[in-house]
Amino acid sequence: MAFRELAHEEIVALENNGCFCDNWDSVMVAESFETDRIRNSTFSGHIKIGSMTDTKELPGNRKIKSGIYNSSLHNTEVGNNTYISNVKNIANYIVEENVQIENVDSIIVDGTTTFGNGTELEILNEGGGRELKIFDQLTSQIAYLIVLYRHDKQFIEKLESMIGKYVDNKKSDVGYVKKGSSIYNCGQIKNVYVGDYAAISGSLKLEEGSVISCSEAPTFVGFGVSANDFIIHSGSKVDGGAIIDKCFIGQGVKISKQFSAENSAFFANCEGFHGEAVSLFAGPYTVSHHKSTLLIAGLYSFYNAGSGTNQSNHMYKLGPLHQGIMERGSKTGSFNYLLWPCRVGAFSACIGKHYANFDASDFPFSYISEEDGLTVLTPAMNLLTVGTKRDSEKWGKRDRRKDPNLLDLINFELFSPYTVGKMVKAQSILKELKENASRDQEYVSYNGLKIKRLMIRTTSKYYEIGISIFIGKVLFSMLNELSSDNIIDDLKAKFIDTDDIYSGEWTDIAGMITSVNKANELINSINTDQVSTVDELRSALNEIHNSYSIGERVWWQKLVENRFGIKINEINAEIITQIINDWVKNSTKLNNMIAKDAQKEFDSFAMIGFGIDGNEDVKRSDFLSVRGDYDTNSFVKSLNSEIEEFQIKAENILKMI
């Protein structure tokens, strides 16, 4: 944009409009500058003012001309068609076009700042040692590697150096309020970057931070919010008196209703209401909605906290040094208490109060309950519940991220080499525990857990259901890609030589499922400077994420070889038929068991509280009007339709074979 000096008559007009500047020569304006759009304002330092020609429609259906009114500006550039009114102090900012700012105490940059980039969080472990430097391109995967791979000092040094260079490029003594954004009725805003189309309304104090935003995913910071040393990302909403201190808030996150957080990171689609978070690593879809809930010094993802959930990360000895891990898909019941350190397996439900440390990571899909002071593990039982299936289906549908630049890499698969590998291992452990137990034992012990001996055989069979479904699912996906008459040979042609790329162990890197080999390859590429910038790191992680289906098939091949005692190229029509039939049988069995669990939501006990002043007929009628019946429930109907689809798909595939 071309700027010019003010003409003498324009200076006179501005002064007549109540404006003041001790050196009008330092004020530059656009060619189409209109003096009647600038009133009762003070200017100092170097000022640039764009063209003001449009009319703004403000909240409450108000309409007002763009311009600068009743405000004080110092070293500030104002873009075209921007509206600034009743701002006591704007200093050292570039305010871009079509911005609206009204009733704000101050928007200033004081000294040199990085706008929250480089803020160091004492995350996961309050005692230190897992510090995370946040920056505006941080992803859940990068954070996981920095926080959890401290055993590789060279790797951590390389990562921190990489991030340090990125942060250095963010240093500035000038702030930005980017195009299309709005700031209303706020207190102090100091050293804050405000992104495109962001909306800030009623915040108390924002200091040393970035509000990243874009037109596709505007970010909102609302009433009563106080935030220091932060980054809030696109499409997120921080509102309702939230208190944020040293936090990273990723894409599509909701923080509200007096939630407080310090030294914590919240990644894609997390939600925090009412409760408190301290040193929390909240991987994608971590949700805490209730008062009296404290999440502290833990790693979570796809997690739901019951009301009053609480963890303790110290044992009154050397202080708050302990940490806990709740693997993906886990949840806690109301007033669940866990004494860190402990580890909850994937897709497990934890109920009751647990005052002893345990490690249940080898047993996914389990119930962990308190019985007479003991921590009792019932393996595989959570595989059969409505909640697990419903959760696994809803996450992908509830992805709020609209930003074209998605940061976190998320795999929504319920059955993957990560979870199925754990089920295979769990079966082996259960077999050994059963063989070594005497008949008079009520419980067997494992990693601080008690398992009822009589449940071992049954729960191992439940794991078999999940394993068979996975084997059939992967095979079906390959067969579904074939159309020729020579289906067996074509299938074999799709098999991949596994010698170089097979990895038996898989991991969940904060939402991204990958083989341990792939993770190690990435670490090596960083240690050898093949990956040396943040952009290169993100690109490498994307490649790993996109290679999941190939890695899954390679892992599946070894699983089939081990279970059927063959080399994968020896697979034949008989084995394929068995796998497909087992897939249909176990998928049907699982859906029927889930449907039976759902039926509990419609039994007589579920009707308690309905038909409050009537008889049994009124109770049932009231229940039907509010909840509906079992047969017409949409979730139940989808389970039944899935069973029909399994059978039709299997019949079609078997005809091809």
Side-chain angles (χ1 to χ4, degrees):
M1 184 193 304
F3 291 93
R4 62 174 175 82
E5 293 182 350
L6 287 165
H8 175 71
E9 58 270 22
E10 289 175 323
I11 294 172
V12 172
L14 287 171
E15 289 178 341
N16 288 336
N17 289 344
C19 296
F20 173 81
C21 180
D22 56 7
N23 181 13
W24 286 109
D25 290 342
S26 66
V27 178
M28 307 290 288
V29 297
E31 283 296 332
S32 57
F33 176 73
E34 298 179 21
T35 58
D36 68 337
R37 301 282 185 128
I38 315 294
R39 294 182 177 275
N40 301 319
S41 296
T42 301
F43 303 97
S44 60
H46 295 283
I47 301 293
K48 290 182 178 180
I49 302 173
S51 174
M52 307 294 183
T53 60
D54 72 347
T55 298
K56 301 293 183 187
E57 186 168 324
L58 305 183
N61 219 16
R62 291 185 297 146
K63 292 184 178 180
I64 193 166
K65 292 179 179 180
S66 58
I68 302 172
Y69 309 97
N70 307 311
S71 299
S72 176
L73 280 67
H74 173 76
N75 285 341
T76 295
E77 180 177 329
V78 180
N80 294 338
N81 295 320
T82 281
Y83 167 71
I84 298 174
S85 178
N86 296 320
V87 181
K88 294 178 182 178
N89 185 17
I90 301 179
N92 306 314
Y93 263 86
I94 295 174
V95 181
E96 294 188 352
E97 66 268 21
N98 294 309
V99 169
Q100 300 174 29
I101 307 176
E102 183 179 68
N103 297 334
V104 179
D105 283 349
S106 63
I107 305 175
I108 65 171
V109 165
D110 186 13
T112 301
T113 178
T114 56
F115 307 106
N117 290 277
T119 296
E120 193 168 82
L121 312 185
E122 292 181 350
I123 197 169
L124 189 56
N125 193 314
E126 283 187 282
R130 297 195 183 277
E131 289 75 17
L132 172 66
K133 284 185 179 179
I134 62 175
F135 59 102
D136 58 23
Q137 291 297 300
L138 180 66
T139 73
S140 60
Q141 283 72 45
I142 295 173
Y144 183 98
L145 294 172
I146 295 171
V147 173
L148 275 302
Y149 278 61
R150 290 284 165 166
H151 53 279
D152 190 331
K153 292 184 178 180
Q154 181 185 5
F155 172 65
I156 296 301
E157 288 172 1
K158 295 279 188 180
L159 270 183
E160 290 185 340
S161 173
M162 191 186 303
I163 294 166
K165 291 175 183 176
Y166 182 91
V167 170
D168 285 343
N169 289 329
K170 292 291 179 177
K171 288 180 180 178
S172 177
D173 55 7
V174 175
Y176 285 85
V177 179
K178 302 290 282 184
K179 65 183 178 183
S181 56
S182 62
I183 305 174
Y184 284 99
N185 305 317
C186 294
Q188 176 177 288
I189 297 175
K190 179 181 177 183
N191 294 351
V192 174
Y193 170 95
V194 181
D196 295 342
Y197 301 95
I200 303 174
S201 180
S203 66
L204 296 179
K205 184 182 75 168
L206 304 178
E207 189 168 334
E208 297 292 346
S210 293
V211 180
I212 309 299
S213 183
C214 63
S215 59
E216 298 90 343
T219 302
F220 179 75
V221 180
F223 182 77
V225 171
S226 178
N228 296 283
D229 302 297
F230 66 92
I231 291 175
I232 301 172
H233 241 288
S234 60
S236 289
K237 182 177 182 180
V238 182
D239 196 11
I243 301 173
I244 305 299
D245 184 21
K246 290 188 176 180
C247 287
F248 178 89
I249 296 173
Q251 295 174 322
V253 173
K254 292 182 179 180
I255 303 290
S256 189
K257 300 179 181 178
Q258 302 87 44
F259 191 83
S260 67
E262 62 175 284
N263 285 294
S264 296
F266 302 84
F267 294 98
N269 299 306
C270 287
E271 296 179 6
F273 303 149
H274 293 300
E276 181 182 359
V278 180
S279 296
L280 180 68
F281 191 126
Y285 293 90
T286 296
V287 174
S288 175
H289 280 181
H290 307 289
K291 291 183 178 180
S292 303
T293 296
L294 169 63
L295 302 182
I296 185 169
L299 170 68
Y300 309 79
S301 63
F302 302 94
Y303 165 75
N304 195 314
S307 60
T309 291
N310 182 279
Q311 294 97 38
S312 172
N313 70 333
H314 58 85
M315 301 173 72
Y316 301 100
K317 294 180 180 178
L318 294 178
L321 303 172
H322 303 96
Q323 63 192 45
I325 297 174
M326 302 199 73
E327 297 187 17
R328 68 157 49 202
S330 58
K331 59 179 64 177
T332 48
S334 295
F335 296 101
N336 169 255
Y337 171 82
L338 294 169
L339 176 66
W340 290 155
C342 63
R343 187 166 179 173
V344 175
F347 295 99
S348 293
C350 196
I351 303 165
K353 299 184 184 297
H354 302 270
Y355 298 99
N357 312 120
F358 64 84
D359 183 354
S361 57
D362 291 331
F363 295 96
F365 301 101
S366 295
Y367 282 165
I368 300 171
S369 58
E370 175 207 353
E371 298 181 20
D372 298 324
L374 300 176
T375 295
V376 176
L377 175 81
T378 308
M381 291 301 292
N382 207 36
L383 182 63
L384 319 176
T385 65
V386 172
T388 298
K389 183 172 179 64
R390 181 173 172 273
D391 287 346
S392 67
E393 293 175 350
K394 76 182 182 185
W395 285 315
K397 297 174 183 177
R398 296 184 181 182
D399 193 342
R400 291 187 290 266
R401 298 175 298 165
K402 306 298 181 186
D403 194 322
N405 177 28
L406 295 182
L407 294 175
D408 300 339
L409 305 171
I410 304 177
N411 187 320
F412 295 103
E413 291 289 343
L414 180 67
F415 297 134
S416 67
Y418 172 68
T419 52
V420 176
K422 286 177 175 291
M423 287 194 273
V424 172
K425 183 177 181 180
Q427 281 187 319
S428 176
I429 294 169
L430 289 171
K431 181 181 178 182
E432 184 177 350
L433 290 172
K434 187 174 186 300
E435 289 173 350
N436 293 331
S438 63
R439 288 183 171 272
D440 59 352
Q441 279 184 258
E442 182 178 1
Y443 295 102
V444 295
S445 299
Y446 184 81
N447 285 356
L449 301 155
K450 299 293 183 182
I451 304 171
K452 289 186 177 179
R453 182 181 59 83
L454 294 178
M455 290 296 295
I456 290 178
R457 183 178 178 185
T458 300
T459 54
S460 185
K461 287 182 178 179
Y462 291 156
Y463 279 135
E464 187 65 27
I465 292 174
I467 297 167
S468 295
I469 290 173
F470 170 79
I471 293 173
K473 179 200 75 168
V474 177
L475 177 60
F476 177 81
S477 69
M478 285 191 282
L479 292 173
N480 206 38
E481 296 169 2
L482 308 176
S483 57
S484 73
D485 294 332
N486 198 4
I487 195 168
I488 304 296
D489 289 342
D490 286 350
L491 175 65
K492 290 179 180 180
K494 296 182 76 65
F495 294 152
I496 304 165
D497 185 2
T498 63
D499 290 343
D500 295 331
I501 60 176
Y502 172 72
S503 176
E505 295 295 323
W506 282 60
T507 185
D508 174 15
I509 301 182
M512 182 183 77
I513 298 172
T514 186
S515 68
V516 171
N517 281 1
K518 282 286 185 183
N520 289 336
E521 287 173 10
L522 175 62
I523 292 168
N524 182 64
S525 67
I526 292 171
N527 283 338
T528 56
D529 295 322
Q530 297 172 60
V531 172
S532 58
T533 69
V534 168
D535 286 343
E536 289 173 352
L537 175 57
R538 287 193 58 198
S539 178
L541 285 165
N542 270 286
E543 286 181 16
I544 293 174
H545 180 61
N546 293 332
S547 70
Y548 169 80
S549 59
I550 294 174
E552 179 190 57
R553 288 190 179 185
V554 169
W555 192 86
W556 173 88
Q557 289 173 196
K558 284 292 186 183
L559 181 63
V560 170
E561 288 181 345
N562 292 335
R563 291 177 76 82
F564 289 91
I566 60 166
K567 292 294 182 184
I568 194 64
N569 284 317
E570 297 171 2
I571 198 167
N572 54 37
E574 182 181 354
I575 293 174
I576 292 172
T577 300
Q578 182 181 340
I579 291 174
I580 294 298
N581 285 334
D582 284 346
W583 172 62
V584 174
K585 180 183 73 175
N586 285 292
S587 295
T588 301
K589 182 185 293 185
L590 179 60
N591 273 24
N592 284 334
M593 296 173 89
I594 291 171
K596 188 175 181 180
D597 185 51
Q599 200 165 18
K600 297 173 186 176
E601 297 294 314
F602 298 89
D603 63 17
S604 59
F605 289 103
M607 295 184 188
I608 294 172
F610 287 82
I612 189 167
D613 293 323
N615 57 22
E616 288 299 314
D617 290 338
V618 172
K619 178 190 288 187
R620 281 191 291 272
S621 178
D622 186 33
F623 184 87
L624 286 171
S625 67
V626 175
R627 294 283 305 281
D629 64 8
Y630 174 78
D631 292 329
T632 60
N633 178 265
S634 59
F635 181 81
V636 174
K637 288 170 71 175
S638 71
L639 288 174
N640 293 330
S641 65
E642 273 188 6
I643 292 172
E644 294 176 9
E645 289 173 13
F646 296 147
Q647 294 167 344
I648 292 170
K649 289 177 180 178
E651 288 173 6
N652 292 335
I653 289 294
L654 293 177
K655 284 177 184 176
M656 292 171 65
I657 297 170

